[in-house]
């Protein structure tokens, strides 16, 4: 596990039980941009911190997974953990781009990752081409 994933897992482990549930609820309701598919509740219901890291990496490319997690930390008012994730992402402050509000995705075309996480579940040659605009479940 690389440092960014370790930072993500560590941030999630700092959440209390109720906060982790709130994070999962917000993640389930989160509407990602760029062709990525939303995360299903069935993937989150019994998930612990490490499971959530795996789910985020399975749905989104790693840089975008960190953005999503940081945005959700903002939504649940965990500003210190949000800042930690933006720093892990390599951004300073809240990592916002022009025209972006706290707790939201950057404008289209400014995503850190591209849709279509190839190779996570063995998709690739027989799955959609990378960058086609379809997420893992597309």
């Amino acid at each position: 596990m690389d440092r960014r994933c370790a930072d993500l897992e560590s941030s999630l482990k700092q959440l209390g039980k109720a906060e982790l549930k709130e994070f999962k609820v917000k993640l389930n309701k989160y509407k990602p941009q760029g062709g990525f598919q939303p995360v299903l509740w069935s993937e989150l219901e019994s998930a612990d911190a490490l499971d959530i890291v795996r789910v985020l990496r399975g749905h989104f490319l790693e840089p975008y997974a960190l953005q999503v997690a940081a945005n959700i930390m903002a939504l649940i008012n965990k500003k210190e953990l949000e800042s930690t994730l933006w720093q892990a992402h390599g951004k300073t402050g809240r990592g916002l781009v022009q025209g972006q509000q706290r707790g939201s995705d950057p404008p289209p075309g400014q995503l850190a990752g591209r849709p279509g996480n190839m190779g996570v579940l063995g998709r690739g040659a027989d799955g959609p081409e990378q960058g086609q605009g379809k997420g893992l479940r597309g």
Side-chain angles (χ1 to χ4, degrees):
M1 180 180 302
D2 69 19
R3 185 187 66 76
R4 290 186 292 190
C5 289
D7 288 341
L8 176 54
E9 181 182 6
S10 174
S11 294
L12 289 167
K13 284 183 175 181
Q14 291 180 48
L15 297 175
K17 188 175 182 177
E19 294 167 327
L20 187 62
K21 182 173 182 176
E22 186 179 5
F23 184 94
K24 293 190 289 187
V25 167
K26 297 284 187 191
L27 179 56
N28 173 244
K29 293 180 179 182
Y30 195 83
K31 297 194 184 328
Q33 294 184 349
F36 290 107
Q37 298 298 310
V39 178
L40 302 174
W41 180 249
S42 61
E43 297 176 88
L44 298 170
E45 189 170 11
S46 62
D48 63 11
L50 184 56
D51 294 331
I52 294 171
V53 171
R54 289 180 184 139
V55 167
L56 283 166
R57 290 181 75 192
H59 273 267
F60 314 116
L61 296 177
E62 189 172 293
Y64 188 55
L66 287 168
Q67 286 182 333
V68 169
N71 288 336
I72 292 172
M73 290 296 187
L75 292 172
I76 65 171
N77 240 0
K78 301 304 281 184
K79 294 172 185 22
E80 198 170 303
L81 296 176
E82 173 196 7
S83 178
T84 298
L85 292 173
W86 281 123
Q87 288 172 8
H89 188 309
K91 306 228 181 213
T92 58
R94 292 206 160 61
L96 302 178
V97 294
Q98 187 175 8
Q100 179 186 2
Q101 296 178 2
R102 266 185 78 239
S104 69
D105 281 341
Q110 294 185 7
L111 298 177
R114 294 190 315 251
N117 193 351
M118 300 293 105
V120 173
L121 294 176
R123 293 187 66 172
D126 59 341
E129 299 273 324
Q130 189 164 353
Q132 242 184 348
K134 298 203 181 224
L136 180 63
R137 303 212 183 316

